[in-house]
Amino acid sequence: MASNSVIKPKTQAGKRALARREEKVIENTKSCLLIRGGNTSEAIGSCLKDLYSLKKPHALMLKRRNPILPFEEISFVEKMSRKYDCSLFAFASHSKKRPNNLVLGRLFNYQLLDMIEFGVEGYQPLCTFPVAKVPVGTKPCLSFQGEEFDSDPTLMAIKNLLLDMFQGPRVEKIRLQGIEHLIQFSYCDGQILVRSYRILLKSSGSKIPRVELFEMGPRFGLRLRRHKVATPEQFKQARRQPKVATIKKIKNIVPDDGLGNRLGRVHVGRQELDKLQTRKVKALKRPREDFNAADGKKIKKRRLSDNKKQKNKG
């Protein structure tokens, strides 16, 4: 008889595993599940291994082959993603109809969100480039070249998926010496060209170093075949954030100007400059004038010093 009660973990490892899967205000770094299909060529198998090298340590590759078709049956991918707590997946296969096939996709709440199928062309593996590789876990810089990434709806969805796939962990601060890896995506003639570079900073005689790029691989092209994009309701639900994570906007205050400073705007009422008390200078002081109420004539009151001068002259 099936029971609806929740089974509590009996070991400390089980408690830690459940704690990692609990809902969090700031989610963990997304992990990728890499799956080999029932039949794979040498090129697509090597490509999957290179993707695993770029994604480590936030990646897991299944050892056995799995003869599945994600566009026809996705239940196996959803089951494995729940088992290994992965929200991204990459599936490689090869057939006469679809040679060197690569499927990249995302899951939300262990349910399929979207996935895109590519054909891999012109592949050159990582080991063929005689350049020192970046350390494991290096956060890459992502570059997208082509106006189509900002105008075509399908390519906009591909760009969003590739950002999720390769962005790595979120960081609050960046060290200049830590910028070592660049992944470039260029759209040309209906194909997305993928290039990976090692960034070297060399002395230039000034505070700003000279940047040099050395291609370290892998190199390949992605040609779009099939895609299954999330509906607006699913995408909106996946992007929903808790109220605790959202920063409440305060009126007339800029939380960060890009340099870590908090700026505020203060509104001051209209100032009456004619009534403003200024510094009194004796040399610029005018003689006082009074009016006689009887005849309306002006009577000047001279200073005491002027009266004394007149008496001396007389």
Side-chain angles (χ1 to χ4, degrees), residues 20-129:
R20 286 194 297 268
R21 300 190 182 191
E22 288 181 353
E23 297 181 356
K24 299 179 178 63
V25 176
I26 301 176
E27 63 180 5
N28 301 329
T29 304
K30 295 182 179 180
S31 299
C32 182
L33 182 67
L34 295 101
I35 308 171
R36 290 186 299 172
N39 185 23
T40 56
S41 63
E42 183 180 356
I44 195 63
S46 180
C47 180
L48 196 67
K49 291 179 181 179
D50 287 348
L51 290 179
Y52 175 66
S53 300
L54 296 179
K55 284 289 297 177
K56 286 192 302 187
H58 305 289
L60 176 68
M61 177 178 270
L62 298 183
K63 297 180 180 180
R64 297 182 180 179
R65 296 181 178 273
N66 300 276
I68 60 172
L69 299 175
F71 276 86
E72 298 179 6
E73 182 61 41
I74 197 64
S75 60
F76 176 80
V77 179
E78 294 176 346
K79 179 182 177 181
M80 291 296 104
S81 68
R82 180 181 293 273
K83 180 179 180 180
Y84 297 108
D85 193 20
C86 297
S87 55
L88 303 168
F89 73 91
F91 176 80
S93 62
H94 178 78
S95 64
K96 186 177 180 180
K97 185 178 181 180
R98 294 184 177 90
N100 297 329
N101 201 49
L102 180 66
V103 180
L104 303 178
R106 292 180 291 188
L107 300 106
F108 172 69
N109 198 16
Y110 305 114
Q111 300 293 325
L112 179 67
L113 182 64
D114 56 0
M115 60 180 172
I116 302 174
E117 185 180 64
F118 300 100
V120 178
E121 301 178 357
Y123 171 73
Q124 294 186 20
L126 190 69
C127 58
T128 58
F129 293 87

Side-chain angles (χ1 to χ4, degrees), residues 1 50 126 261 273 299:
M1 182 178 179
D50 287 348
L126 190 69
N261 301 323
L273 301 178
I299 302 175

